[in-house]
Amino acid sequence: MVRKTRFGQILISKRIINEELLEKALHIQAEEDQTNPRALGEILVSDFKIDHHSIFGLLAELYAFREIKINPTKIDKNQIKHTKEILSKFPEDFKKELIYKKNLPYQLSLGRRKTLIVLATNPTDKIIEKIPLYTDFKKYEVVYCRLSILNELIEIIAPQKNEFLELLEESGEFISEVSEDDRDSALDEYALDEEINKSLLVNLFEGCLIEAVRKNASDVHIIPYKRSNVDFRFRIDGKLTLWYRQEKTSPEAIASVVKDRASGVDRFERDTAQDGFAQRLIDGHLIRFRISIVPIISAEYERRFESVVIRIIDDRNVITDLKKLGFQKQAEKDFTKAIGKSKGIILLTGPTGSGKSTTLMAALYHTIDPSINVLTCEDPVEYVIDGARQIKIGNKLSFDDAIRSILRHDPDVVMVGEIRDKITAETAIKLANTGHLTFSTLHTNDAPSAISRLYNMGIETFLLAYAINIIVAQRLIRKLCDHCKRPLLKEKYPAAIEFGLTEEELKSKQIFEAGKGCKKCNNGFKGRITICEALYFSHEIRKAIVESGTDIDEDLIRNIAEKQGMLSIKESGLDRIRNGLTTISEVAYATSED
């Protein structure tokens, strides 16, 4: 058993974490390089997504560091100038490391001796002790500052630089438009190389990756636009927005740059779909990129255009705590009960981009334990899961073969990335019925229709009834910005009432719509939240499925589940609206097919 720390015990006594979570965090700490292990607080925040202030605010209080509260929007210009002057006296590399670790030398306190005030989100960070070694500031005081405040201060005083985009700005326009004479039916590879070499397209691509990660985009789309322009679009909070339009550049050149900077793709192949991979160290974190390239047509039949979509895989976004999923009370209760069983299927449904993988990751981390064998079979594998054995699909091991091999590999918990056909469905059923907890996904609009889908694949009703623990159908909707949202305008009341809200709710002024947008959001929205229906397989639900005969009665199953407390996806969305978290239009769009 790992020795518990005093700070860990205090966190438990304050109900910030529980015994189980502390054990997991301490095990991670014990397995790390003991010459430079992470502190307990860092592990809890980064690996388990515990609120930063809950951990480090308590740590600051425990060690008697004073806390400073600053409103970044009201910071004085003289203070900004003063802080910049202080930072200019730091060696560049040391300054970058300090700011990267969220420490900001802020001001000089004038007294008998000048004292440097250092704002820190982790006041026990050892790097602060090096300040006298690298600078003339021999006396300093560490002051605790909340992460959200310090991030805003850094953005104002010492914003992160994107060296690739800076090179582009310094160079101005870097290539002229390709003339008609240069375009023949056969693409001239030498001309293309010359175009790339005399440009800064590599900097544009690398700068794009950095900006996408910093803006918390989930995907980058690189799309040919007309004859010689290319659009770079970021998907942020589920919506595609134009980040940059590169003009007077052949789309073939940009596609070639992407291929050259990725692994697993052939630069000279332009007539088939390709999947590639890349990874970059960005702001101290290793970020992985999954690259999809497909040929597309254009009005100029002789051109060989390709569309590029890059999925950003940032392990910092993985949720490992079920409570952070944001499920509503009944759904969270039923989901926790379902994954707490030793066997049965946990099925997530919904369209692409509805957060199924995120929910599965949180559920897996909840069940992972050194005493059990956790296997996953995904194609492709996106996130590396600590404590699980993730089967690698390749030319010599197909998805179907991997599914079959799982049964012979002594698993306790299995994740099958997706139930694709009867073979996958039967394997999942067999795993569940032989005492294994099985996680998977399916593409259906709601929870009851998932039962019909599996039945139509050829799975008998009695097998479905007793193999499945829960089906969760979910969507992701954009969350309103707390800083600029506004009460719904009166002229929109009739549509809101028709959607399911009451006049009393509207008059309470607690039903909101998006504002015009501010510095803290994207056009009135910031982040996304889940709406879902969680169909828990109670005795009554199982009985209804078994008695369905040759036709699954989805309405009957839904009525039973709703009487037992299940919210439909629309009702889940209405609850989010009533709590001022999102808009009617967001929920209407997400549930339009239901």
Side-chain angles (χ1 to χ4, degrees), residues 459-470:
I459 308 301
E460 296 294 336
T461 52
F462 71 91
L463 289 174
L464 290 173
Y466 293 101
I468 298 173
N469 292 351
I470 195 169

Side-chain angles (χ1 to χ4, degrees), residues 177-180 182-187 192 195 224 226-230 249-253 270-271 296-306:
E177 186 171 4
V178 181
S179 68
E180 291 295 330
D182 291 335
R183 294 195 183 107
D184 4 74
S185 55
L187 194 63
L192 200 61
E195 183 177 358
K226 296 186 178 179
R227 309 173 54 188
S228 55
N229 301 328
V230 179
T249 305
S250 67
E252 293 95 335
R270 295 186 177 88
D271 297 318
I296 58 174
I297 62 167
S298 75
E300 300 169 83
Y301 70 90
E302 76 278 6
R303 304 293 295 278
R304 300 172 76 179
F305 287 171
E306 292 171 289

Side-chain angles (χ1 to χ4, degrees), residues 28-38:
I28 290 172
Q29 189 181 47
E31 290 171 3
E32 290 186 347
D33 180 5
Q34 291 306 301
T35 60
N36 188 28
R38 287 182 296 164

